[in-house]
Amino acid sequence: MFLVYTINAIAEDKATLEFTGPFVRGYFLSLVKRISPEKAEQLHNPSPVAPYSIKPVSKKVIIKGRVRHVYGDRIELNQGDEVSFGFALLGREMVNDLGIELLNKIFEDSRIKIGNATLVLKEVNINRVERIQTQESERILIHFLTPTFFRKKGSAYRDLFPAPRNVLTSVARIWKLLIGEEIDLEEIREIAENEIGVLMYKLRTSRTIDLGKNRKAIGFIGKCVYETRDPKARNLMNRFLAIGEVTNVGGSRSLGFGVIKCTPITKEKLEKIMSQEQT
């Protein structure tokens, strides 16, 4: 079970926001602390995996007549700009412990401080997810909306490419630890490696993000397309990418890294995208 909170707000004044994931996490933990200081302390250093995910601030813009939410490395806000941010509670225990109380705490404040911006609360949307709904698409366009990276066991370096094995095993591990489902991670890694391909990608490296206490991080942002023609791989790809939209993927999910949006895509649409990228 997941409980996803999306907070919509309006910028009170002009402000420049760097990556806001740590600030949104701080806001989330401050709400939890009002409910239970012990729970907030537990969630500050969760083990073995954080039972929540963070969605940093995104700015609402109109592009070619369509509403888009732009994250970016740096967001310039003017007075009156609309923004969204939020978090998700992952697992029945978190939902039962915090659920409605968290919503009540959000509404106690009409103004929210995120970084150097003061945001006026507009509305809060809650989506309760009992079961992840998936499609059976052979081809999926993945947008990596916030910096994403994957840790490599035994290495000080991070993997900055969305290889299917990285993404799917990341989400499968999170799901296994949170939900307790019996999952063979090695099998998923092997299937993702051999049966799922990357048809195209357009990525860039993010700015270096200061996490405080002499910690810094970078990741990649952009898009790529996965494809598979194997039925089992297709099921795994669709299922775990759908879960990843809620949990985030890769390292530092609880700081707002690894936010993704996935869209099934036709062969014709893919060809159009690739044609546009080449011009």
Side-chain angles (χ1 to χ4, degrees):
M1 179 192 296
F2 300 149
L3 202 58
V4 182
Y5 297 74
T6 301
I7 300 171
N8 298 316
I10 298 173
E12 188 170 63
D13 297 298
K14 187 174 182 179
T16 299
L17 290 175
E18 303 292 341
F19 182 67
T20 60
F23 297 109
V24 174
R25 178 178 183 259
Y27 168 67
F28 165 71
L29 291 177
S30 73
L31 296 174
V32 176
K33 188 174 182 179
R34 296 186 202 175
I35 301 169
S36 168
E38 295 78 13
K39 189 71 171 179
E41 181 62 29
Q42 176 188 346
L43 294 178
H44 187 75
N45 294 295
S47 179
V49 62
Y52 62 93
S53 60
I54 296 296
K55 299 296 190 283
V57 172
S58 63
K59 178 179 175 180
K60 179 181 176 181
V61 299
I62 307 297
I63 300 176
K64 296 181 179 180
R66 298 179 62 183
V67 176
R68 303 287 179 88
H69 290 272
V70 177
Y71 290 86
D73 300 281
R74 177 178 294 161
I75 299 176
E76 299 291 343
L77 294 180
N78 293 311
Q79 185 180 29
D81 281 347
E82 293 190 36
V83 301
S84 293
F85 58 97
F87 36 82
L89 305 181
L90 310 176
R92 193 171 299 276
E93 180 182 346
M94 281 286 286
V95 172
N96 290 340
D97 286 351
L98 299 175
I100 192 66
E101 284 298 319
L102 204 56
L103 179 63
N104 292 335
K105 296 304 177 186
I106 292 172
F107 280 113
E108 285 182 357
D109 302 310
S110 61
R111 286 172 171 77
I112 303 168
K113 190 73 173 178
I114 299 293
N116 64 352
T118 300
L119 306 175
V120 180
L121 181 64
K122 180 181 178 183
E123 62 181 3
V124 182
N125 296 319
I126 299 181
N127 183 24
R128 187 183 183 95
V129 183
E130 293 285 351
R131 182 179 178 184
I132 294 292
Q133 299 296 321
T134 64
Q135 301 187 42
E136 284 296 312
S137 176
E138 292 185 352
R139 209 171 291 106
I140 297 180
L141 171 64
I142 310 168
H143 282 93
F144 294 88
L145 300 172
T146 65
T148 304
F149 67 85
F150 301 95
R151 294 187 175 93
K152 297 194 291 185
K153 188 175 182 179
S155 174
Y157 296 99
R158 293 168 175 175
D159 201 335
L160 300 181
F161 186 77
R165 68 173 184 275
N166 288 339
V167 176
L168 266 62
T169 54
S170 166
V171 179
R173 176 180 175 275
I174 294 164
W175 186 254
K176 180 177 182 177
L177 291 172
L178 285 176
I179 308 302
E181 181 178 334
E182 288 298 322
I183 295 175
D184 188 334
L185 295 179
E186 286 303 319
E187 181 186 23
I188 290 175
R189 183 177 289 108
E190 182 177 345
I191 291 173
E193 179 79 37
N194 297 319
E195 301 294 343
I196 302 175
V198 177
L199 296 187
M200 65 83 65
Y201 62 88
K202 185 178 182 182
L203 307 169
R204 68 175 178 84
T205 305
S206 71
R207 297 172 186 266
T208 299
I209 298 169
D210 188 350
L211 301 178
K213 297 181 180 179
N214 295 318
R215 298 178 302 152
K216 298 183 184 298
I218 62 170
F220 62 85
I221 299 172
K223 59 188 176 184
C224 74
V225 175
Y226 286 176
E227 180 188 71
T228 182
R229 297 177 182 177
D230 178 78
K232 188 171 185 177
R234 183 173 65 243
N235 177 269
L236 291 173
M237 178 178 74
N238 282 267
R239 182 188 182 207
F240 286 119
L241 287 180
I243 294 171
E245 287 188 294
V246 180
T247 63
N248 300 353
V249 304
S252 295
R253 300 176 307 102
S254 62
L255 288 175
F257 286 75
V259 175
I260 64 171
K261 179 176 176 57
C262 303
T263 308
I265 187 172
T266 63
K267 184 177 180 181
E268 291 73 23
K269 180 65 174 178
L270 173 62
E271 291 174 349
K272 183 177 180 180
I273 292 174
M274 295 180 70
S275 176
Q276 291 172 344
E277 297 296 346
Q278 292 169 0
T279 58

